[in-house]
């Protein structure tokens, strides 16, 4: 029988090895994402042969790893049956959905919701903002660079600046504060606390030596990088386009796509993500097993 437990930093190497086999592009298929969001999303993990399994609020991720995926799914079904429930995969990549549709036929129900699709962009588009469609972004950046600004990579020496900025951002948005925002701050601070151990990379934007924005993330798969966190203060025009451009410019040259994650159905966030013109959406599917 499978044994699910809390994720630990010591699981990093094994999990990343198994994720690499699958090469999925969804933001949830990174160790860093699972680690920093494990408490807000009630995540537990287990291993079955060469598969990495994740439980989140009583539902499960499509297994990542190598071997007989049908066998791994059967193990999840048996585990759920022992708890008196049917298996539900809360997230599956399109390739997984298609495999299960062929394997299970009418014994599964497939659901799809745009709110949970990831926005994916060409790295070069975000790094250089070339063309008419990015005219407004360049205008914001041109206004920002009128300030006495600087950019730094995140290191052990300036992580405190990120924590301070995060607290300011939380206060700045106090009127719209809700549980999801508190969860976001918790996950961001955990990422900063374990920044080195998680092998994150990131950057800080400063004006007159004071931090006004920061961001960090990690590689998802062979050609895609995931932006886990991006936070900025409303003191200056162009803060967000500038931190995004400066950071993406410094990513490894073999990165082809940037995943900026989902919008969760939030209208303002959706408009912001669409304004950068994604080249495709990483589709995700919820799969309910009927037996």
């Amino acid at each position: 029988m499978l044994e699910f437990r809390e994720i630990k930093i010591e699981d990093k190497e094994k999990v990343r090895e198994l994720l690499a086999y699958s090469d999925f592009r969804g933001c949830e298929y990174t160790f860093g994402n699972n680690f920093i969001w494990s408490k807000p999303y009630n995540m537990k993990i287990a291993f079955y042969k060469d598969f990495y399994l994740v439980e989140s609020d009583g539902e499960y991720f499509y297994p990542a790893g190598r071997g007989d995926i049908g066998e791994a799914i059967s193990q999840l079904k048996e585990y759920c049956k022992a708890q008196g429930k049917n298996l539900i995969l809360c997230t599956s990549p399109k390739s997984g959905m298609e495999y299960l549709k062929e394997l299970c036929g009418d014994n599964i129900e497939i659901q799809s919701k745009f709110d949970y699709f990831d926005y994916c962009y060409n790295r070069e588009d975000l790094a250089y903002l070339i063309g008419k469609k990015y005219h407004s972004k360049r205008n914001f950046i041109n206004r920002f660079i009128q300030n006495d600004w600087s950019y730094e990579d995140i290191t052990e020496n300036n992580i405190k600046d990120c924590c301070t900025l995060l607290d300011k951002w939380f206060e700045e948005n106090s009127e719209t504060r809700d549980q999801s925002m508190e969860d976001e701050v918790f996950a961001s601070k955990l990422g900063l606390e374990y920044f080195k151990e998680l092998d994150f990379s990131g950057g800080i934007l400063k004006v007159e030596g004071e931090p006004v924005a920061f961001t960090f993330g990690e590689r998802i798969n062979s050609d895609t990088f995931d932006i886990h966190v991006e936070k900025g203060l409303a003191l200056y025009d162009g803060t967000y386009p500038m931190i995004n451009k400066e950071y993406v410019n410094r990513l490894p040259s073999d990165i082809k796509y940037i995943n900026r994650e989902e919008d969760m159905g939030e209208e303002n966030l959706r408009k912001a993500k669409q304004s950068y013109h994604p080249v495709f959406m990483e589709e995700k599917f919820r799969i309910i097993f009927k037996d």
Side-chain angles (χ1 to χ4, degrees):
M1 182 67 68
L2 299 175
E3 295 183 3
F4 283 86
R5 58 166 174 81
E6 292 184 358
I7 193 169
K8 303 175 183 177
I9 196 70
E10 293 80 13
D11 295 314
K12 179 181 70 173
E13 297 305 324
K14 183 175 183 179
V15 169
R16 284 184 174 162
E17 179 184 2
L18 298 179
L19 290 173
Y21 289 134
S22 295
D23 207 36
F24 295 145
R25 191 176 280 119
C27 66
E28 65 273 26
Y29 288 100
T30 65
F31 179 77
N33 175 289
N34 298 170
F35 185 82
I36 68 177
W37 284 98
S38 60
K39 185 175 180 179
Y41 288 162
N42 297 312
M43 287 186 187
K44 307 288 183 182
I45 69 166
F47 298 97
Y48 175 73
K49 294 186 177 180
D50 280 337
F51 284 102
Y52 171 55
L53 310 175
V54 179
E55 178 183 7
S56 177
D57 283 331
E59 300 183 359
Y60 302 83
F61 291 7
Y62 186 87
R66 64 179 178 181
D68 185 347
I69 187 68
E71 184 179 345
I73 293 292
S74 294
Q75 289 292 316
L76 284 173
K77 289 176 69 176
E78 289 299 318
Y79 179 80
C80 290
K81 185 178 294 185
Q83 300 177 66
K85 63 181 184 181
N86 289 347
L87 171 63
I88 298 177
L89 300 182
C90 56
T91 183
S92 169
K94 186 176 182 179
S95 60
M97 177 275 291
E98 291 174 340
Y99 171 79
L100 291 176
K101 186 176 182 180
E102 182 176 347
L103 180 69
C104 302
D106 293 335
N107 290 323
I108 59 173
E109 177 186 343
I110 300 171
Q111 300 176 344
S112 175
K113 192 173 183 181
F114 185 86
D115 295 357
Y116 299 102
F117 290 3
D118 289 349
Y119 289 77
C120 294
Y121 309 81
N122 281 326
R123 175 185 178 274
E124 289 193 355
D125 285 348
L126 299 190
Y128 302 109
L129 301 174
I130 295 174
K132 185 177 180 180
K133 62 184 179 181
Y134 292 113
H135 177 73
S136 63
K137 301 295 184 187
R138 294 195 301 273
N139 280 344
F140 277 117
I141 287 175
N142 287 335
R143 289 202 289 272
F144 182 85
I145 62 177
Q146 302 304 312
N147 301 294
D148 178 17
W149 70 277
S150 62
Y151 176 93
E152 302 173 7
D153 292 331
I154 294 179
T155 68
E156 292 179 336
N157 297 325
N158 55 26
I159 278 185
K160 286 185 178 179
D161 288 338
C162 297
C163 293
T164 299
L165 189 150
L166 190 60
D167 289 337
K168 289 181 179 179
W169 175 84
F170 193 55
E171 286 301 316
E172 193 176 75
N173 292 276
S174 60
E175 292 184 2
T176 57
R177 188 180 302 171
D178 57 14
Q179 186 59 51
S180 65
M181 189 177 292
E182 292 182 8
D183 290 342
E184 192 173 359
V185 170
F186 175 87
S188 300
K189 286 192 171 181
L190 191 62
L192 291 170
E193 179 182 353
Y194 286 89
F195 192 86
K196 184 177 180 181
E197 292 88 342
L198 291 168
D199 306 310
F200 285 162
S201 72
I204 306 176
L205 196 62
K206 294 184 176 181
V207 172
E208 297 179 357
E210 294 296 320
V212 296
F214 77 92
T215 187
F216 65 77
E218 67 179 311
R219 181 188 287 268
I220 296 179
N221 68 356
S222 56
D223 65 5
T224 305
F225 195 90
D226 183 47
I227 305 296
H228 287 322
V229 174
E230 185 182 82
K231 290 287 171 280
L233 304 180
L235 294 171
Y236 305 96
D237 287 340
T239 301
Y240 279 102
M242 192 67 178
I243 186 65
N244 176 69
K245 180 178 184 295
E246 290 297 306
Y247 181 48
V248 171
N249 255 306
R250 291 167 171 80
L251 293 177
S253 59
D254 64 328
I255 296 293
K256 186 175 181 181
Y257 301 112
I258 304 296
N259 183 327
R260 292 182 59 83
E261 305 190 353
E262 62 271 271
D263 61 41
M264 305 295 287
E266 296 180 18
E267 189 60 31
N268 289 337
L269 191 56
R270 177 168 295 182
K271 288 180 179 178
K273 290 180 184 292
Q274 290 178 342
S275 72
Y276 281 98
H277 305 286
V279 289
F280 64 87
M281 304 296 292
E282 180 65 18
E283 298 178 84
K284 303 176 187 180
F285 300 86
R286 187 169 184 262
I287 301 175
I288 302 171
F289 288 75
K290 299 178 182 179
D291 57 17

